[in-house]
Amino acid sequence: MSGITDTDLDDILALCPRLYAAVGWDAEKAPDWDIFRACCHPDATLAALSSGAASPIPVEVFIAAMNEQRATGALADFSEVEIARHVEAFGNVAGVRSSFIAEMNGERRRGVTFAHIVRHEGRWVILSAIWDNEGDGKTIPASLI
């Protein structure tokens, strides 16, 4: 990885796990949206592709949707934990593939996030992230775990 220091790599590798930890909640713990926002570029877009339709949304729209699900009880608990990752980086850009296990209302499933990460104002942040979950005949291949 040319132009990337060990510190840069540590910072890049920490982003997805930090984002996953921040978004989670249960009866005793609320999501930490300040940390979530700090992981993202101010103009970052996020897109879940589980439905097969790409609909990128800004971070604040994502946060509002997650807060709504939490407030209505549609999601009583939510957590994500990284189980594997791969990074490629050069200069001020990086790509991270992060496989994860998510638990929602006691249901466990796996997924994969692909994140574009950039150095912005001296720190590494997510510029865009897209993810998909297993289901309906989609199983994560061993090469991604």
Side-chain angles (χ1 to χ4, degrees):
M1 287 186 245
S2 183
I4 301 295
T5 68
D6 288 343
T7 301
D8 288 331
L9 186 57
D10 289 344
D11 290 347
I12 292 165
L13 290 172
L15 271 172
C16 285
R18 187 177 309 127
L19 189 82
Y20 295 156
V23 74
W25 71 80
D26 59 28
E28 290 83 39
K29 176 190 170 284
D32 191 331
W33 296 124
D34 290 337
I35 289 176
F36 189 90
R37 286 179 185 99
C39 291
C40 297
H41 185 279
D43 297 320
T45 57
L46 308 172
L49 296 199
S50 300
S51 69
S55 298
I57 60 172
V59 169
E60 292 304 321
V61 173
F62 175 84
I63 290 171
M66 294 298 278
N67 279 336
E68 177 69 17
Q69 291 182 69
R70 183 170 178 248
T72 64
L75 275 177
D77 59 81
F78 180 79
S79 68
E80 290 179 315
V81 176
E82 185 174 73
I83 55 174
R85 65 180 162 214
H86 174 77
V87 175
E88 292 184 357
F90 174 77
N92 294 305
V93 299
V96 174
R97 180 193 71 229
S98 174
S99 301
F100 61 86
I101 294 176
E103 289 197 29
M104 296 171 279
N105 294 338
E107 181 183 323
R108 191 174 184 169
R109 64 181 177 184
R110 299 183 308 172
V112 178
T113 297
F114 291 89
H116 292 112
I117 295 172
V118 298
R119 191 184 329 249
H120 175 71
E121 296 179 353
R123 60 189 191 89
W124 292 96
V125 292
I126 296 168
L127 182 62
S128 67
I130 56 174
W131 63 95
D132 201 350
N133 300 315
E134 287 184 319
D136 298 329
K138 292 184 300 186
T139 302
I140 299 174
S143 63
L144 298 184
I145 297 185

